[in-house]
Amino acid sequence: MQQVISVWVRDPRIQKNDFWHAYMDYEICLHTDSVFFTRKMSRVRRRFREFVWLRQRLQANSMLMARLPQLPRKNPFFSLNNAQQISERMAGLQRFLEQILQSPLLLSDSCLHLFLQSQLSVAKMEACAEGRTRYSVAEAVQCCGIRRFLSQESLHEKDSSMSGDSDSDSSECRDSECQFKEDLALKRTTSDHVGIEQVQSICSSSDSP
C-alpha cells in the first residue's frame, strides 16, 4: 500500500524583531503514515531564510546525488502587506516541500526531520544533526508536535481571540528554547515513551548546544 505524506504551508504571520524590522513566518503542517516519520502529525513555524538553509543543507548532505527543487525567488520588493505575493510565496514553498518529500534519499536526512518536526532554531538544528547536543534527533522530534493539529477554523478563532496581538503564538514558536522546554513539560504529562530522567536531561541541554 502506498504511503502518504501530506504537507501544507499556511497561516502567514508577521513577526516583529523590533519597531523597525519585521519578517513573515509560515506554519508547516505534516500528516503522514510513512515509515520515514515516527511522529505522524506535527506543525511548526518557519521563515523563508530557514527554507534557504534547509535547501543548502540537503544539497550538501546529498553530495549532488539528488536534484533539489528550487525555492521561490527572493523578491527584493516583497511586501509583508501584499496578499498576492504572500500567497504566491506560500504556494512555492509548499511545492518545494512536496517535491522534497518524494525523494527517499532526502527523507533520510536528519536536517529535514528537524526542520519539519522540531521547534529548534537553525543553530540548534545544525548542532543536533551533527551530534553536538545532549538530545538526539529522534528526541527533538518526539518532544515537538504534541499540540493539536489546528484546523483553519481553529486558526481563525485563535486569531480573533488574540485581538491584534498576532505575535503571541509565533513568538512562542520562534523562541526555540522556551518552546522546547514547554513541549518537554507536556511530554511528561502524556506518558509517552521518554522516561522522566531522559526528559529532564533533554530539557537541561536545550539551554546550550
Side-chain angles (χ1 to χ4, degrees):
M1 186 174 68
Q2 185 177 5
Q3 296 177 345
V4 176
I5 306 176
S6 299
V7 65
W8 299 270
V9 178
R10 65 182 191 180
D11 189 28
R13 296 196 178 191
I14 297 175
Q15 309 301 330
K16 294 181 180 179
N17 287 331
D18 52 44
F19 184 79
W20 299 104
H21 301 92
Y23 65 90
M24 180 162 288
D25 66 6
Y26 311 89
E27 185 178 61
I28 303 172
C29 300
L30 183 76
H31 193 184
T32 182
D33 60 2
S34 171
V35 297
F36 283 99
F37 293 88
T38 54
R39 183 165 294 283
K40 305 305 181 183
M41 192 177 293
S42 63
R43 65 184 184 92
V44 298
R45 299 196 70 86
R46 298 293 182 192
R47 59 186 298 186
F48 185 79
R49 68 167 58 173
E50 291 173 311
F51 279 86
V52 174
W53 169 86
L54 175 65
R55 190 181 187 282
Q56 291 172 343
R57 288 304 301 263
L58 292 177
Q59 188 72 76
N61 294 347
S62 66
M63 303 295 290
L64 304 179
M65 294 179 63
R67 184 175 181 181
L68 271 70
Q70 295 295 323
L71 286 166
R73 289 187 177 181
K74 189 169 184 178
N75 182 357
F77 303 106
F78 183 82
S79 171
L80 300 180
N81 299 312
N82 189 313
Q84 181 176 351
Q85 290 181 344
I86 294 170
S87 179
E88 290 174 353
R89 173 169 285 189
M90 280 198 304
L93 294 175
Q94 180 164 322
R95 283 194 300 270
F96 170 77
L97 290 178
E98 287 172 341
Q99 293 177 52
I100 290 293
L101 292 171
Q102 293 176 12
S103 168
L105 176 62
L106 299 178
L107 281 170
S108 64
D109 195 305
S110 58
C111 289
L112 176 62
H113 289 264
L114 290 170
F115 175 87
L116 291 172
Q117 296 195 306
S118 84
Q119 301 289 3
L120 300 180
S121 64
V122 166
K124 296 269 182 201
M125 285 191 287
E126 289 183 347
C128 185
E130 295 169 4
R132 294 187 285 109
T133 55
R134 296 180 185 176
Y135 48 86
S136 67
V137 172
E139 288 166 346
V141 168
Q142 196 173 38
C143 292
C144 177
I146 299 173
R147 290 172 176 76
R148 293 182 179 179
F149 192 92
L150 295 181
S151 63
Q152 289 286 4
E153 182 178 353
S154 299
L155 285 170
H156 292 319
E157 291 175 356
K158 192 170 190 178
D159 287 339
S160 60
S161 67
M162 287 191 291
S163 64
D165 185 12
S166 63
D167 286 349
S168 58
D169 181 66
S170 286
S171 296
E172 175 188 359
C173 289
R174 302 313 311 168
D175 187 345
S176 60
E177 288 77 14
C178 179
Q179 178 70 51
F180 199 44
K181 290 178 181 177
E182 184 179 341
D183 284 338
L184 285 164
L186 288 172
K187 198 67 175 177
R188 295 191 189 99
T189 64
T190 56
S191 300
D192 213 326
H193 299 296
V194 179
I196 293 178
E197 292 183 359
Q198 186 180 16
V199 169
Q200 291 173 337
S201 173
I202 302 170
C203 186
S204 63
S205 66
S206 66
D207 293 327
S208 59

